[in-house]
């Protein structure tokens, strides 16, 4: 075996290993960018041990909504990296370049679709009438159901307002 061919094979192997490591890092970053919950039952650490105002009321209406937490672009980037790495393992020369580019495009589209699906949650828009006649509407994840006429308590004061059953 020619020593220069051996060096080229070794360099190509290192390049692919580096590309795979970059792809795995991007996927880990994507997992770490998951946004928090909009559930009335979930508190983040900054909301714990904080005083909240509690008001009692009656549910006037409930409407199903979709909570879209937006996209960060990490899904697109991660998908493009993974697709590019996968495409680079096909063919050689110009064919390898073309499959790398096509793999990156397809991976980016797939990653964007995955992130888009993960960023949407079912929610409820709950309109509450308080004892003083005031009406307020609160949107939160649909992790528990509310019905017109339900007596509820509304907690606010820590940046999030929550509707819970009595």
């Amino acid at each position: 075996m020619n020593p220069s061919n051996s060096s080229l094979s070794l360099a190509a192997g290192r390049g692919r290993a580096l590309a795979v490591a970059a792809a795995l890092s991007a996927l880990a970053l994507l997992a770490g960018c998951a946004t928090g919950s909009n559930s009335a039952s979930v508190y983040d650490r900054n909301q714990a041990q904080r005083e909240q105002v509690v008001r009692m009321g009656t549910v006037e209406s409930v409407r199903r909504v979709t909570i879209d937490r937006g996209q960060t672009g990490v899904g697109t980037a991660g998908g493009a990296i993974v697709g590019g790495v996968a495409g680079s393992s096909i063919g050689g020369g110009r064919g390898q370049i073309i499959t790398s580019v096509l793999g990156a495009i397809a991976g980016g589209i797939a990653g964007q679709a995955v992130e888009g699906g993960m960023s949407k949650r079912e929610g409820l828009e709950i309109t509450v009438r308080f004892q003083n006649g005031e009406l307020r509407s609160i949107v939160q994840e649909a992790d528990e159901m509310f019905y017109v006429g339900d007596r509820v308590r509304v907690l606010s004061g820590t940046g999030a307002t929550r509707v819970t059953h009595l």
Side-chain angles (χ1 to χ4, degrees):
M1 178 181 226
N2 184 343
S4 63
N5 285 343
S6 170
S7 298
L8 289 175
S9 296
L10 187 59
R14 285 185 188 152
R16 282 203 178 113
L18 184 60
V20 169
L24 292 175
S25 297
L27 289 175
L29 181 62
L30 175 60
C33 288
T35 54
S37 175
N38 291 317
S39 168
S41 300
V42 177
Y43 289 81
D44 70 31
R45 64 184 175 157
N46 295 320
Q47 295 170 326
Q49 296 182 320
R50 302 276 186 220
E51 181 177 325
Q52 297 185 48
V53 175
V54 180
R55 296 181 291 165
M56 304 301 178
T58 303
V59 174
E60 287 283 314
S61 68
V62 179
R63 184 172 73 101
R64 290 193 175 277
V65 297
T66 299
I67 300 171
D68 185 353
R69 296 188 265 177
Q71 292 193 5
T72 63
V74 176
T76 304
I81 291 169
V82 171
V85 170
S88 72
S89 65
I90 299 171
R94 286 189 184 183
Q96 187 176 26
I97 293 169
I98 291 169
T99 57
S100 295
V101 170
L102 291 176
I105 292 169
I109 291 169
Q112 183 180 31
V114 168
E115 184 180 8
M118 291 174 59
S119 71
K120 291 184 175 34
R121 297 277 192 263
E122 285 187 37
L124 296 174
E125 178 187 78
I126 308 159
T127 303
V128 177
R129 181 175 301 277
F130 294 101
Q131 294 169 344
N132 65 2
E134 177 184 22
L135 279 174
R136 292 287 175 124
S137 180
I138 299 97
V139 175
Q140 63 188 38
E141 282 186 22
D143 58 345
E144 60 180 294
M145 280 307 302
F146 294 89
Y147 301 95
V148 173
D150 282 355
R151 293 281 299 146
V152 294
R153 64 183 177 171
V154 177
L155 301 122
S156 56
T158 61
T161 298
R162 307 161 192 282
V163 178
T164 64
H165 288 97
L166 290 175

